[in-house]
Amino acid sequence: MTTHEATVLLIEDEPEIRRFLRTTLPAHGYRLHEAATGRQGVTEAKARNPDLILLDLGLPDQNGVEVIRQIREWATMPIIVLSARDQEQVKVSALDSGADDFVTKPFGVNELLARIRTALRHAARPAGEPGESAFTLGDLRVDLNRRQVLIAEKEIHLTPIEYKLLTTLVRYAGKVVTHRQLLKEVWGPLHVDEHHYVRVYMRQLRNKIEANPAQPRYLLTELGVGYRLKTE
């Protein structure tokens, strides 16, 4: 799917943001539809079946998380949440309820467009398609077929848990993965409350692949929410 084929539904009650995106998104080849309330947004989603939804969490008539749950009853298109900085727990709830990503207000055009491109690329993969066999960004290369991790062409030894943590982030590259989701996929459903597992192993992983673990280039922290593997 190219951006010129993509239809975006914006569910947002702030007129300033609607005006801004009404100008910005069509200028980059997207077709835009709008809704100012959660109820109207669900109706528009059913009528338009958009390729992607941008959803404000602070809607006047209902919680944005509930809107996500309603849409996820019948649809799988990407949902990117627009949220305020002080809504960390709400962001986690939104992601766990089926949102694909979030952008914190105020946001820049380039950041939003990058998140949209990433979400559409994921959505364009056929069902069951595992994605690319290798992930490359800068000096980092993760070869999933050979189970190799290289930095500047030098192979890095990872423990099984470190490797599984990294490949889980590779699978969702560019998207936020919550602590709970990482725990479920790497350690299993019985460990979803053991948040310290993720912190410990993420620190070990950064020490092995980041030139400066205190200022990571690849493995980014989304405070209070989870982690994201950069894609560009």
Side-chain angles (χ1 to χ4, degrees):
M1 178 185 300
T2 67
T3 59
H4 297 285
E5 299 169 339
T7 300
V8 176
L9 171 62
L10 171 64
I11 307 175
E12 168 65 69
D13 67 316
E14 293 186 40
E16 296 82 4
I17 293 181
R18 291 209 309 273
R19 281 196 298 268
F20 171 64
L21 294 180
R22 193 181 298 149
T23 301
T24 302
L25 293 184
H28 287 84
Y30 297 97
R31 293 192 297 273
L32 181 66
H33 302 286
E34 300 176 33
T37 67
R39 184 171 300 178
Q40 183 186 0
V42 172
T43 299
E44 283 288 303
K46 291 179 178 178
R48 306 283 186 181
N49 193 25
D51 297 303
L52 180 140
I53 294 174
L54 296 176
L55 172 67
D56 177 30
L57 290 179
L59 297 168
D61 61 332
Q62 56 183 302
N63 190 308
V65 174
E66 179 56 33
V67 174
I68 294 169
R69 293 191 181 115
Q70 291 179 46
I71 292 173
R72 282 291 176 254
E73 289 177 359
W74 58 273
T76 60
M77 78 279 286
I79 299 175
I80 298 178
V81 162
L82 308 178
S83 65
R85 291 189 183 279
D86 60 350
Q87 294 179 311
E88 287 181 359
Q89 189 52 51
V90 182
K91 292 173 188 174
V92 173
S93 297
L95 291 165
D96 285 341
S97 295
D100 295 85
D101 199 356
F102 71 84
V103 178
T104 300
K105 299 178 181 178
F107 50 82
V109 174
N110 290 336
E111 178 189 10
L112 179 63
L113 292 174
R115 301 289 180 86
I116 289 174
R117 289 193 299 269
T118 297
L120 290 174
R121 281 199 300 270
H122 279 276
R125 292 177 183 165
E129 173 67 38
E132 300 295 329
S133 61
F135 172 87
T136 303
L137 179 66
D139 290 335
L140 173 64
R141 177 174 175 81
V142 183
D143 190 320
L144 300 174
N145 287 339
R146 297 182 178 180
R147 296 180 65 84
Q148 284 184 321
V149 178
L150 300 100
I151 295 290
E153 303 300 326
K154 180 181 179 181
E155 186 169 0
I156 305 299
H157 174 72
L158 300 181
T159 68
I161 289 292
E162 290 167 352
Y163 180 78
K164 193 170 184 181
L165 178 60
L166 179 59
T167 55
T168 299
L169 290 166
V170 166
R171 194 162 71 251
Y172 297 103
K175 298 169 63 174
V176 178
V177 188
T178 65
H179 298 110
R180 186 179 183 86
Q181 186 175 356
L182 284 170
L183 286 161
K184 183 177 180 180
E185 297 205 23
V186 177
W187 284 272
L190 297 180
H191 300 281
V192 293
D193 295 320
E194 307 289 346
H195 286 200
H196 62 283
Y197 285 11
V198 181
R199 290 193 297 271
V200 169
Y201 278 90
M202 184 60 69
R203 182 167 62 249
Q204 294 176 187
L205 191 55
R206 280 175 170 161
N207 285 336
K208 291 184 177 182
I209 71 172
E210 298 281 4
N212 183 357
Q215 295 182 318
R217 178 183 178 188
Y218 306 113
L219 302 170
L220 306 184
T221 299
E222 299 289 353
L223 287 176
V225 179
Y227 297 92
R228 178 201 307 273
L229 178 63
K230 281 191 66 176
T231 57
E232 53 185 80

